Amino acid sequence: MKRVPIAIFLALAVLAATCAAGGAEEIGKAEQRRLFRDGARLWPVYCAQCHNARPGSEFAPYQWDAIMMHMRTQANLPARDARAVLEYLKAGR
Amino acid sequence: MRYFILTILIITVIAAGGICGAEDGSELRQIRREIQQIRADEERQRQRDERLIGELEQKVEKLENQNRQLQQSSAQMQTRTTQQLQQINEQLGSSASDFARTFHDYLGTHTFTLTGAVGGDFIYDRQTATNTFALDFEPIILYRVTDWLLFEGTIEANLPAGGGADFSLPVATAQIFLNDYLEVQAGIFDQPFGDWYEDQSPFWVNRFVTAPLPYSVEALIPPTDIGVQLRGGAQWGALGQDIDYTAWVSNGPSFANDIPQPVVGQAINGVNTIKVNTNGQGYGGRLRVYPFPLDSNLGRLELGASTLNGKWLHGNWYNAWGVDFAYLRGPLQARGEFLEMYRQMPTGNADNRQGWYVQVGYFLNQLPLPFAPDPVADFIHRLEPLIRYSGVNQRAIVQDEVSTLPETGFSGSPSIFTPHAREVALGLDYWVAPSIVWQNEVDLELPEAGGSIIAFGGNPTPTVIPRGATPNDVAFLSQLAIGF
């Protein structure tokens, strides 16, 4: 009986694994501009929820890729919002 | 007679007709002349109108030609401009993307990123007459394999009293992003209970030098755990209105086993690395919601609730729950948590504990200082005064577990090790950069009476002594924290 929650947990994980991968999508220029605009609005608020917002110039774009994955996990950021902040940080360099 | 009258009438009529005919002739001529005059006028008018229409048509044609020419030249100019812009963009873009591509190729698709923090402290405690320096270094290594797979490891190097560095591995996880709403995280991770361990504990993120009492040396919740998490977030309304969740299965809680038998008030272990205390799992859940849209100008409010449950020893349960909030609006930031823990004891006595903290800070970067000289204004604008009140209630303290040796983020004050610890922390931060801060904190330890002290003293059975009034204490900590 006690293994039921674990089984449900694992089943959910496997089920989720079959969903579309959350990988990179080729985005158009219009969507890129929308992400940048949203990122500029979200960056000071989402980051400052826990700590001071750090400027894009502090890290290289490839580093921001990793750091934003880390921050998406830490703060459970919605995926699109994380992409918007990442776009802003990389473009804002 | 009758013929005579008729003859006269006929003659009269004929005469009258002759007179009228003469008048009609002159009028007719007059009318004809007028008609001819009107016709001539109309002809002239028509000729004038035709001339004007011709002139207007010429003008319209001329304007149309001009307009066509303008359109042509505009289109040509636009084409030329577009071509030139395209050329410039291609020149700039190609060089930037060439460089980026070359650099990216050089780095490879698997990238390592080093972040983390370091904290250097000065610690003073009045009651123990301690004053010392301390250092802690916590690099975070991020290994990004693809855009859906990240490995993360945190190594903590701490310098304890009387020895070389202690190294530990508080975090080592694989993070797999399955889709926009679901991520799997597996490994050893910061406990996702409340906001403290995951989000607030890094040196430069915590506005204070010390942790609030419920997460300090007598913590109610294990700081780290080993297991698997499912987590994710989504926008449920306008931009900024989010909800997120974390659910996890882990080894669960365990309590210090360096005393002969389990007792109330026993310290919780930092992590249950290899679970031998029970065959049960730990189950946790956390939910956070952000009710205000970004455009509402109401600030950013976070409301959260957490729970952690598991068997800590054989069939004995540990249950914990908590609620928390955080609010940010401009230079103001406030946060707080309340948490409660219930531990089923083998002897039948329950081990209940409650903890809470609330803190407020106000960044002076927006304070108007019209008459202050620039260096003074710049100094004041980097300051952030803070205040925090925290407390813990528990029925007992285990004397054998008390260590008043200070370390990074802990003053070593004995007044913290009481069943009813209370602390007022006053802070003043000076922000050198967004992630570099010089923090100063005065802690007023104001424990309340009550509870028990449990001491083994090398014996298998404990001695329980009622705890009387505990002296207050004052501590001062100063820390340079660098987030990198």
Side-chain angles (χ1 to χ4, degrees):
Chain A
M1 184 63 190
K2 66 188 172 186
R3 301 201 185 279
V4 171
I6 302 172
I8 293 170
F9 193 85
L10 290 173
L12 276 172
V14 171
L15 182 69
T18 59
C19 298
E25 299 159 7
E26 287 297 326
I27 53 171
K29 278 198 186 322
E31 175 62 8
Q32 209 170 356
R33 278 195 293 272
R34 274 195 294 274
L35 284 174
F36 179 84
R37 278 199 300 270
D38 285 348
R41 294 167 66 204
L42 293 169
W43 169 73
V45 180
Y46 277 22
C47 302
Q49 184 76 17
C50 293
H51 56 75
N52 291 327
R54 298 174 71 167
S57 55
E58 287 194 0
F59 294 100
Y62 83 91
Q63 291 176 310
W64 279 123
D65 286 335
I67 291 168
M68 278 310 298
M69 287 173 81
H70 165 68
M71 291 315 305
R72 184 181 155 191
T73 301
Q74 290 294 109
N76 274 354
L77 295 176
R80 189 189 175 278
D81 292 353
R83 283 196 289 270
V85 174
L86 177 63
E87 182 63 32
Y88 173 74
L89 287 167
K90 288 165 78 173
R93 299 179 78 250
Chain B
M1 186 62 185
R2 199 180 300 163
Y3 291 110
F4 178 72
I5 292 167
L6 186 63
T7 304
I8 287 173
L9 280 171
I10 291 167
I11 289 167
T12 303
V13 170
I14 291 168
I19 291 164
C20 286
E23 285 177 359
D24 284 349
S26 68
E27 277 182 14
L28 279 171
R29 279 195 295 278
Q30 180 63 26
I31 288 167
R32 280 198 199 99
R33 274 199 301 276
E34 285 176 0
I35 289 169
Q36 284 171 354
Q37 184 66 34
I38 288 167
R39 281 181 179 161
D41 288 346
E42 279 181 349
E43 181 63 23
R44 276 196 299 278
Q45 184 68 31
R46 192 180 58 78
Q47 286 174 354
R48 198 165 64 89
D49 287 349
E50 281 179 354
R51 184 165 47 81
L52 285 172
I53 287 167
E55 285 173 6
L56 283 171
E57 281 177 348
Q58 283 175 354
K59 281 182 183 173
V60 168
E61 196 172 350
K62 195 175 171 184
L63 282 172
E64 280 178 349
N65 286 335
Q66 284 177 346
N67 189 34
R68 255 193 305 277
Q69 284 170 359
L70 281 172
Q71 279 178 344
Q72 281 172 358
S73 66
S74 173
Q76 284 168 358
M77 195 177 288
Q78 204 166 5
T79 308
R80 274 202 303 275
T81 309
T82 308
Q83 284 170 350
Q84 284 169 351
L85 276 174
Q86 204 170 349
Q87 282 171 359
I88 292 166
N89 282 336
E90 278 171 7
Q91 285 166 2
L92 289 172
S94 64
S95 59
S97 62
D98 285 349
F99 175 74
R101 204 166 19 252
T102 308
F103 192 59
H104 195 263
D105 289 347
Y106 175 75
L107 291 172
T109 53
H110 293 199
T111 59
F112 281 92
T113 301
L114 187 67
T115 64
V118 60
D121 288 18
F122 171 76
I123 303 163
Y124 165 77
D125 180 64
R126 189 177 66 181
Q127 205 175 117
T128 55
T130 305
N131 71 89
T132 182
F133 291 102
L135 187 70
D136 204 320
F137 179 53
E138 291 185 4
I140 301 172
I141 299 160
L142 301 174
Y143 172 44
R144 184 180 183 272
V145 183
T146 67
D147 54 7
W148 55 268
L149 180 59
L150 180 79
F151 290 98
E152 176 182 342
T154 301
I155 297 163
E156 182 179 2
N158 181 34
L159 293 172
D166 275 352
F167 292 92
S168 60
L169 187 69
V171 174
T173 59
Q175 296 162 27
I176 304 161
F177 298 86
L178 295 174
N179 58 43
D180 278 2
Y181 308 101
L182 182 62
E183 175 198 341
V184 174
Q185 183 174 193
I188 177 169
F189 46 75
D190 286 331
Q191 194 77 253
F193 186 104
D195 251 358
W196 177 257
Y197 292 131
E198 265 200 343
D199 297 329
Q200 292 298 309
S201 58
F203 302 125
W204 68 281
V205 176
N206 180 15
R207 295 295 211 263
F208 290 87
V209 182
T210 62
L213 290 181
Y215 294 106
S216 183
V217 285
E218 289 288 326
L220 276 63
I221 310 293
T224 51
D225 219 335
I226 294 179
V228 182
Q229 295 179 19
L230 296 180
R231 57 193 302 158
Q235 184 180 319
W236 58 269
L239 192 68
Q241 288 182 302
D242 305 326
I243 188 165
D244 68 72
Y245 68 92
T246 308
W248 66 99
V249 177
S250 63
N251 276 355
S254 67
F255 285 78
N257 55 3
D258 52 358
I259 52 175
Q261 67 182 64
V263 290
V264 171
Q266 190 179 0
I268 200 163
N269 281 328
V271 63
N272 192 9
T273 44
I274 302 294
K275 180 165 57 69
V276 292
N277 51 320
T278 175
N279 59 2
Q281 307 294 332
Y283 303 97
R286 173 155 172 74
L287 195 69
R288 272 188 300 205
V289 65
Y290 300 85
F292 297 154
L294 211 61
D295 292 331
S296 67
N297 293 323
L298 293 171
R300 177 96 170 143
L301 176 66
E302 170 194 316
L303 300 170
S306 316
T307 182
L308 176 64
N309 307 280
K311 289 171 184 167
W312 69 272
L313 179 68
H314 308 309
N316 296 288
W317 278 89
Y318 162 99
N319 304 102
W321 64 272
V323 289
D324 57 275
F325 85 96
Y327 181 68
L328 176 84
R329 187 173 188 187
L332 173 75
Q333 58 100 0
R335 60 179 65 249
E337 294 189 41
F338 175 84
L339 50 155
E340 188 163 280
M341 182 206 105
Y342 171 84
R343 178 178 168 228
Q344 207 174 21
M345 298 296 290
T347 54
N349 294 322
D351 185 0
N352 297 328
R353 308 180 196 181
Q354 297 88 36
W356 63 89
Y357 76 90
V358 60
Q359 71 180 52
V360 180
Y362 193 86
F363 212 142
L364 301 185
N365 61 344
Q366 294 176 21
L367 190 72
L369 296 164
F371 302 112
D374 284 349
V376 175
D378 180 61
F379 179 82
I380 293 172
H381 284 157
R382 290 170 180 272
L383 294 175
E384 184 178 18
L386 302 136
I387 185 166
R388 182 184 70 202
Y389 178 65
S390 61
V392 166
N393 284 338
Q394 57 189 63
R395 289 170 52 203
I397 287 287
V398 179
Q399 186 71 53
D400 307 59
E401 292 175 348
V402 172
S403 170
T404 55
L405 283 172
E407 59 182 62
T408 309
F410 173 54
S411 68
S413 171
S415 299
I416 293 175
F417 294 98
T418 62
H420 302 282
R422 302 284 185 274
E423 180 185 86
V424 175
L426 305 169
L428 186 64
D429 291 356
Y430 177 83
W431 289 93
V432 180
S435 63
I436 302 173
V437 60
W438 175 34
Q439 300 171 311
N440 297 283
E441 178 180 332
V442 173
D443 291 339
L444 308 173
E445 307 298 348
L446 312 165
E448 292 186 353
S452 307
I453 300 293
I454 297 173
F456 284 91
N459 300 316
T461 52
T463 307
V464 181
I465 307 157
R467 179 72 170 188
T470 308
N472 293 345
D473 195 10
V474 177
F476 170 74
L477 299 97
S478 186
Q479 174 175 268
L480 179 65
I482 301 170
F484 55 87

